[in-house]
Amino acid sequence: MSEHAPVPTPPVGVIGGVGPLATAYFLQRVVQLTDAARDQDHVDLVVLNHATIPDRTDFVLGRSAADPGPVLARDAARLEAFGVSFLVMPCNTAHYFTQQVLDAITVPFVSIVDVTVAAARDRAPDATAVGLLATAGTVASGVYRDAFAAHGIEVVTPDEGDQALVNEVIYDQVKAGLPSDPATLRAVAGRLVERGAGVVVLGCTELSVAAVDHDLLAEPPFLDSMDELVRATVRRAGHRVR
């Protein structure tokens, strides 16, 4: 190795497959949002695209006894053993199991929930309420409710009918590999704004896929959790965001 060669930095570890398309979009967005002029300017990543992890929402809602937590923890440990510098997990519902992941590793873990809460507070510093579009599992888990409550901010979630519409976009469209309906997301988000939400968080990475496909992030009041995790990942890895 030349004495002038750069010192290699450890790659970023990505706990993926939850879900697979969202993971692919996360990787695409890391590439797109990294200020790079050549291949060597991009972020090094190691991705464990473990699609067969048990369903997170089914476990959180008590519809399944198959616990994803130990599986996610093992995947985190496998990535740490590879030599990653820190870990990310581009799935909001899976953050219900964050403590199990943290207990399995010693490297830092960058939380999609934490970076999204920080971004929402920056976007709407005077807001007393934010809207949340997410899986029923994420809503029930309270990960966003608790994180925002620590800053005195209420989380407003869709009513039963609107949650069913959000579930349809997540499961019957994006996860099924079918086109997503942005009009549904706009309508549900609008009703959350009418209820006082200063910003509406897309708190599911399948909804992030819809946001990328339909350029929803150019429209107020959407704030996308995956977009925020991408930006945090690029910066933490020592690169500049484009």
Side-chain angles (χ1 to χ4, degrees), residues 140-166:
S141 74
V143 291
Y144 275 105
R145 180 195 64 222
D146 295 344
F148 276 111
H151 301 283
I153 300 171
E154 177 189 3
V155 171
V156 182
T157 55
D159 62 21
E160 185 175 349
D162 275 353
Q163 184 62 50
L165 294 175
V166 173

Side-chain angles (χ1 to χ4, degrees), residues 7-23:
V7 177
T9 57
V12 179
V14 182
I15 305 172
V18 284
L21 185 59
T23 301

Side-chain angles (χ1 to χ4, degrees), residues 1-11 40 44 237 239:
M1 179 181 293
S2 166
E3 62 177 324
H4 300 294
V7 177
T9 57
Q40 292 75 20
D44 291 329
H239 295 253

Side-chain angles (χ1 to χ4, degrees), residues 93-181:
T93 311
H95 277 65
Y96 176 77
F97 309 94
T98 295
Q99 191 57 53
Q100 288 165 273
V101 170
L102 293 176
D103 289 344
I105 60 175
T106 59
V107 293
F109 177 80
V110 177
S111 163
I112 193 172
V113 174
D114 291 346
V115 299
T116 300
V117 170
R121 295 180 65 215
D122 286 344
R123 169 84 69 85
D126 299 323
T128 57
V130 300
L132 176 64
L133 300 184
T135 65
T138 295
V139 173
S141 74
V143 291
Y144 275 105
R145 180 195 64 222
D146 295 344
F148 276 111
H151 301 283
I153 300 171
E154 177 189 3
V155 171
V156 182
T157 55
D159 62 21
E160 185 175 349
D162 275 353
Q163 184 62 50
L165 294 175
V166 173
N167 292 347
E168 183 177 345
V169 173
I170 294 169
Y171 293 100
D172 299 337
Q173 296 174 14
V174 178
K175 281 186 179 291
L178 299 175
S180 55
D181 178 14

Side-chain angles (χ1 to χ4, degrees), residues 15 48 71-84 87 101 104-106:
I15 305 172
L48 184 48
V71 185
L72 292 166
R74 284 196 297 273
D75 285 353
R78 291 166 71 185
L79 287 165
E80 180 172 20
F82 190 92
V84 300
L87 289 170
V101 170
I105 60 175
T106 59

